[in-house]
Amino acid sequence: MTVDLDAQVRAADLDRWLASRFVADEAARADLIALYAFEAELMAIPTRVTQPLLAEMRYTWWAEQMDGVFSDAPRVGHPILEALTAAVTRHGLSREPFDALIEAHIGRVHGEAHDLDAFYVGPMQVAARILAGEGHDAAVAGAGRVRGLAQTGRTDEATAVRRTANAALKRLPTAAFPAVAPAALTRADEAEPFKRLRLFWSVLRGRL
């Protein structure tokens, strides 16, 4: 059975799915969706198990699978791992952000505070690399923090750092902007048409 990762991401992460529609290159968009599908799977684990130890076991399984992903030998028949491996290989992605994200999830199930860099900055930098290659981590970092602060309910802090983030984004290639555009969305309950409009305006201006 063919698994539609695009549909999975749309259901799990509407903001980033909408932003990915601004990626014209179909292969790059598919690689972006593979990254987002991987993140969605990690995010869903605590909703599927009730005990922290069981959640940690599942995260440990994903951590072990990174060996195959980064040696171009993913678990056969696992659509997310296969798609993620293709993206890693195509773009020469670094393993560190993936390992950091999994470790941050393990920390969360044990009650640790959100690691904004691991949850938001690192993945956004990976997304930018998929779309525009290396060298843009510094330009993306501020937008990642804006996104992380907004997603964790710290909207006043997100607003306070937005200007600095936008200044850094002036150095970001246009092709990479769909990776950071979700940081322009600060209201989870906003209707989809308004989110589409905000993203369009953000991409058009190159600002959050």
Side-chain angles (χ1 to χ4, degrees), residues 1 8 12 51 135 140 142 167 174 176 182 186 194-195:
M1 181 179 66
Q8 285 187 3
Q51 298 296 324
V140 169
T174 302
T186 57
F194 290 103
K195 288 188 174 187

Side-chain angles (χ1 to χ4, degrees), residues 68-85:
V69 167
F70 284 88
S71 62
D72 199 18
R75 180 177 288 263
V76 176
H78 194 294
I80 292 177
L81 291 173
E82 290 182 341
L84 189 63
T85 300

Side-chain angles (χ1 to χ4, degrees), residues 9-171:
V9 171
R10 194 190 196 291
D13 191 344
L14 180 62
D15 292 1
R16 291 198 293 176
W17 182 86
L18 289 171
S20 74
R21 303 304 95 180
F22 292 94
V23 179
D25 183 273
E26 291 185 6
R29 190 191 317 134
D31 290 340
L32 202 60
I33 288 296
L35 171 67
Y36 295 162
F38 165 71
E39 291 186 70
E41 280 295 302
L42 297 185
M43 188 65 72
I45 287 174
T47 70
R48 296 171 180 165
V49 297
T50 57
Q51 298 296 324
L53 182 59
L54 294 176
E56 183 173 351
M57 289 172 64
R58 294 198 180 192
Y59 286 123
T60 299
W61 182 87
W62 279 97
E64 292 169 349
Q65 299 312 307
M66 294 299 100
D67 290 340
V69 167
F70 284 88
S71 62
D72 199 18
R75 180 177 288 263
V76 176
H78 194 294
I80 292 177
L81 291 173
E82 290 182 341
L84 189 63
T85 300
V88 164
T89 301
R90 243 190 307 273
H91 303 284
L93 302 179
S94 168
R95 178 170 176 169
E96 183 178 355
F98 294 85
D99 289 341
L101 179 60
I102 294 170
E103 284 299 315
H105 273 290
I106 292 173
R108 282 294 294 151
V109 299
H110 290 294
E112 295 179 9
H114 268 94
D115 181 339
L116 294 186
D117 283 352
F119 275 109
Y120 300 101
V121 177
M124 190 175 283
Q125 289 170 333
V126 172
R129 180 166 180 173
I130 287 172
L131 298 182
E134 298 182 24
H136 309 298
D137 284 0
V140 169
R145 293 190 183 97
V146 170
R147 173 77 172 163
L149 290 167
Q151 290 291 297
T152 54
R154 298 157 64 181
T155 52
D156 288 345
E157 293 177 70
T159 300
V161 300
R162 186 181 298 269
R163 178 177 294 181
T164 301
N166 277 326
L169 288 176
K170 292 178 181 178
R171 304 191 299 272

